[in-house]
């Protein structure tokens, strides 16, 4: 779609297309970027009460990720870490 066609879509249509494409192509960079900008967008749209809630959820996910190398969770994620580090030998 060209820019004019994209501009004519509703926000819901844009969201659905972008998220569906990102998920289908494993574009977690886009999904992460979306998570980062949602709190500011909610604040800008007058939903500042949601901003704190969103930041808490993202913070909880980050906390889980940072501690995910310990205990049974760490063992369960072992193959994920090995695969990633095998792809990035300079890590």
């Amino acid at each position: 779609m060209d820019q004019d066609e994209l501009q004519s879509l509703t926000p819901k249509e844009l969201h659905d297309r972008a998220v569906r494409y990102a998920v289908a192509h494993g574009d977690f960079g886009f999904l992460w970027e979306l998570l980062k900008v949602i709190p500011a967008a909610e604040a800008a749209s007058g939903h500042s009460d949601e901003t704190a809630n969103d930041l808490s959820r993202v913070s909880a996910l980050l906390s889980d990720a940072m501690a995910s190398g310990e205990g049974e969770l760490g063992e369960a994620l072992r193959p994920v870490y090995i695969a990633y580090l095998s792809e990035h030998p300079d890590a």
Side-chain angles (χ1 to χ4, degrees):
M1 297 185 91
D2 67 21
Q3 286 293 317
D4 290 334
E5 291 171 316
L6 290 172
Q7 290 293 340
S8 72
L9 296 177
T10 67
K12 175 78 170 124
E13 291 169 322
L14 289 168
H15 165 272
D16 291 352
R17 284 182 75 96
V19 170
R20 184 173 45 248
Y21 183 87
V23 169
H25 291 89
D27 188 352
F28 297 107
F30 170 78
L31 297 171
W32 180 246
E33 186 62 28
L34 185 61
L35 286 175
K36 291 189 320 187
V37 300
I38 284 173
E42 284 184 333
S45 65
H47 299 279
S48 58
D49 54 329
E50 286 294 316
T51 300
N53 188 28
D54 287 342
L55 291 173
S56 293
R57 286 186 284 181
V58 170
S59 176
L61 286 172
L62 288 173
S63 178
D64 287 349
M66 296 307 292
S68 64
E70 301 173 13
E72 292 176 5
L73 180 58
E75 278 301 318
L77 291 170
R78 184 178 178 79
V80 174
Y81 299 135
I82 291 172
Y84 181 77
L85 293 170
S86 294
E87 293 174 13
H88 301 88
D90 57 327

